[in-house]
Amino acid sequence: MATKTRPGNFFEDFRVGATLVHATPRTVTEGDVALYQGLFGSRFALQSSTPFAQAMGYDRAPVDDLLAFHLVFGKTVPDVSLNAIANLGYAGGVFGVPVYPGDTITTTSQVTGVKENKDGKTGVVYVHSTGVNQRGEMVVDYHRWVMVRKRDPVSPPPDTVVPPLPGSVALADLRLPPAMTGHYDTALAGSDDCWEDYAVGERIDHVDAMTIEEAEHQTATRLYQNTAKVHFNQHVEQHGRFGRRIVYGGYVISLARSLSFNGLANAQRIVAIHGGRHVNPTFAGDTIYAWSEITGKEAVPGRTDVGVLRVRTVATKDLACHDFPAQDEAGAYNPAVVLDFDYSVAMPRR
């Protein structure tokens, strides 16, 4: 009898050029916004206040950019990374139109590359994923690569294709916020520091920290309908690489972003993900700290209300960031580093 259950794709099932249409459409609700707030404690004014958002040119408060990212990402998991060992990185991410409660998100992916690992038991799969709203407008578009188990270690691998990955997103390709229609209130935003006040090379210790609870990271992962087994099935993972479930990498990205409020409170919107690596696994019980470096600064032609900062945010587990832990001269990461995230934010000008 043919089975009706779906075991997910293993490495040898992927073919370069294949298009994956991901089930199921996801309508965003006010409950999603409240749960995101409860899980990560984000305090950015744009996503917290409709009057504040309207002064910035929005119809109302949009959902957090990373909430939109998680919803798009989660749709891809049953087809791309259900049998993953680890998500490895991101590149060329662009945020499109803002997402509001009531919008419905759907996602498709194209397989852009495959490469078997030396152990013969796993391989890396590269995909380009796009999420759109009910009007077909792009909300998030990005590349990622993930390590996936093989179904049968002796099965022949697909031909190796390693795609060229975008190194960064050009200013001209960013979907910037609308022109401000009112006064930008820095007191209500939580900081007087605007675009002009940051310098390339400046480092910021975000000081605060959050400990991850088991129930929290699993609630978040279920919320985004991410079904990857490594996050849930302790019965299997007790015999795996780490002996326990790992935390969804996007959870750490959102924690780091929330922590960055203390030092980057006026970074109201993420407009690009240039790159990102989950350097080490994170587990329930780990305490996450973060620091950021300003790596680029661009004025926007024809705009005096907003500028763009390129930011590198590094998150650590169980290690405060007052001395900015990252990589040594040989490029080896401090063992406490769990995330190295390269992105751009739109920030108001004076």
Side-chain angles (χ1 to χ4, degrees):
M1 179 185 296
T3 180
K4 291 184 173 60
T5 60
R6 297 174 182 249
N9 290 317
F10 290 86
F11 174 71
E12 57 264 52
D13 297 324
F14 290 94
R15 294 294 179 268
V16 174
T19 296
L20 308 174
V21 178
H22 305 298
T24 55
R26 180 73 149 77
T27 299
V28 186
T29 69
E30 296 285 359
D32 290 310
V33 175
L35 274 169
Y36 189 90
Q37 182 77 16
L39 289 164
F40 304 110
S42 181
R43 292 184 285 159
F44 292 96
L46 172 64
Q47 292 86 12
S48 300
S49 165
T50 285
F52 193 96
Q54 289 172 336
M56 290 188 66
Y58 292 85
D59 295 336
R60 52 196 165 114
V63 308
D64 194 283
D65 300 305
L66 290 177
L67 172 54
F69 174 80
H70 295 319
L71 292 173
V72 170
F73 183 102
K75 297 290 92 184
T76 72
V77 171
D79 301 309
V80 175
S81 47
L82 185 65
N83 296 303
I85 292 175
N87 191 49
L88 300 177
Y90 314 92
V94 177
F95 290 83
V97 299
V99 176
Y100 299 101
D103 285 342
T104 297
I105 308 301
T106 57
T107 307
T108 58
S109 297
Q110 183 177 40
V111 181
T112 59
V114 289
K115 182 179 184 296
E116 187 179 56
N117 289 327
K118 292 180 179 179
D119 65 4
K121 299 177 182 179
T122 62
V124 177
V125 177
Y126 300 80
V127 295
H128 177 195
S129 300
T130 304
V132 300
N133 64 16
Q134 67 275 14
R135 294 178 295 276
E137 299 165 324
M138 186 271 288
V139 297
V140 184
D141 183 275
Y142 66 97
H143 300 257
R144 74 159 168 141
W145 50 106
V146 57
M147 187 187 303
V148 180
R149 292 180 175 90
K150 291 183 69 175
R151 178 185 291 104
D152 182 358
V154 301
S155 65
D159 292 338
T160 295
V161 176
V162 178
L165 295 168
S168 62
V169 180
L171 180 65
D173 294 328
L174 301 180
R175 312 291 179 92
L176 294 171
M180 290 191 197
T181 57
H183 170 66
Y184 185 84
D185 192 326
T186 55
L188 291 180
S191 173
D192 292 331
D193 295 319
C194 294
W195 179 83
E196 291 86 349
D197 300 308
Y198 292 86
V200 174
E202 180 178 358
R203 291 182 169 186
I204 304 161
D205 175 11
H206 298 303
V207 181
D208 306 311
M210 294 190 199
T211 300
I212 301 172
E213 304 296 343
E214 196 81 78
E216 290 176 332
H217 86 84
Q218 291 193 69
T219 296
T221 311
R222 285 191 292 267
L223 177 65
Y224 312 130
Q225 298 175 323
N226 179 337
T227 54
K229 299 171 185 176
V230 293
H231 305 313
F232 296 111
N233 193 334
Q234 182 59 26
H235 180 245
V236 170
E237 292 307 316
Q238 66 183 328
H239 305 296
R241 296 173 68 202
F242 306 112
R244 59 189 301 194
R245 293 162 289 191
I246 63 174
V247 172
Y248 162 48
Y251 189 96
V252 180
I253 295 174
S254 280
L255 277 188
R257 165 71 170 160
S258 294
L259 293 169
S260 76
F261 180 89
N262 193 351
L264 287 167
N266 287 315
Q268 299 289 352
R269 279 216 66 185
I270 299 176
V271 291
I273 298 173
H274 303 288
R277 292 182 59 193
H278 298 294
V279 179
N280 285 299
T282 304
F283 305 100
D286 291 342
T287 298
I288 301 300
Y289 294 81
W291 66 271
S292 294
E293 179 179 3
I294 307 304
T295 60
K297 184 175 180 179
E298 294 180 283
V300 179
R303 299 281 297 266
T304 59
D305 60 334
V306 69
V308 173
L309 293 180
R310 186 164 175 171
V311 182
R312 177 197 187 193
T313 293
V314 175
T316 62
K317 58 181 180 182
D318 301 329
L319 180 69
C321 292
H322 53 83
D323 58 350
F324 309 111
Q327 295 161 281
D328 61 22
E329 293 180 356
Y333 279 96
N334 183 304
V337 172
V338 293
L339 174 70
D340 193 343
F341 198 54
D342 176 11
Y343 59 109
S344 282
V345 296
M347 181 174 282
R349 297 184 63 169
R350 294 194 179 282

